[in-house]
Amino acid sequence: MYWIWTLIVGAIIGAIAGAITNRSGSMGWIANIIAGLAGSALGQALFGSWGPQLGGMAIFPSLIGAVIVVAVVSFIVMRVTAKK
C-alpha cells in the first residue's frame, strides 16, 4: 500500500509542477509520476525533509524539486527538437 500512495503523491506533485511551469500539456501521466518522484528525491536531497509529509515525501521540498526537474527536462526537450 505504501508504494501505491507514493505513486499517487508523485503523480500529483508532478502534475502540480507541470501546471506551475506551464508544461503539463506536453507531459502524460507517466511523465508526471516520474517528474514527481525524481523531483521528490532531488528536492529532499537539496532542501531536506521539512514541512508536511504524505506518502513518504515532504510536500514542499518535493514540489520545488519537481518544478526544477520539469523545467530542466522541458528546456532540454525544446533544445533538442529545435535543432531538427
Side-chain angles (χ1 to χ4, degrees):
M1 196 66 170
Y2 172 79
W3 288 106
I4 293 172
W5 277 110
T6 301
L7 291 175
I8 291 169
V9 173
I12 292 169
I13 288 174
I16 293 170
I20 290 172
T21 59
N22 291 327
R23 304 284 186 229
S24 62
S26 63
M27 296 176 57
W29 59 275
I30 294 176
N32 281 339
I33 293 173
I34 293 170
L37 295 175
S40 176
L42 176 69
Q44 290 185 42
L46 293 176
F47 305 116
S49 295
W50 53 272
Q53 293 194 5
L54 185 62
M57 296 180 222
I59 301 298
F60 297 120
S62 298
L63 188 57
I64 295 168
V67 167
I68 293 169
V69 168
V70 169
V72 168
V73 169
S74 65
F75 176 77
I76 291 170
V77 168
M78 283 189 334
R79 297 287 283 189
V80 168
T81 56
K83 289 184 179 183
K84 288 184 177 183

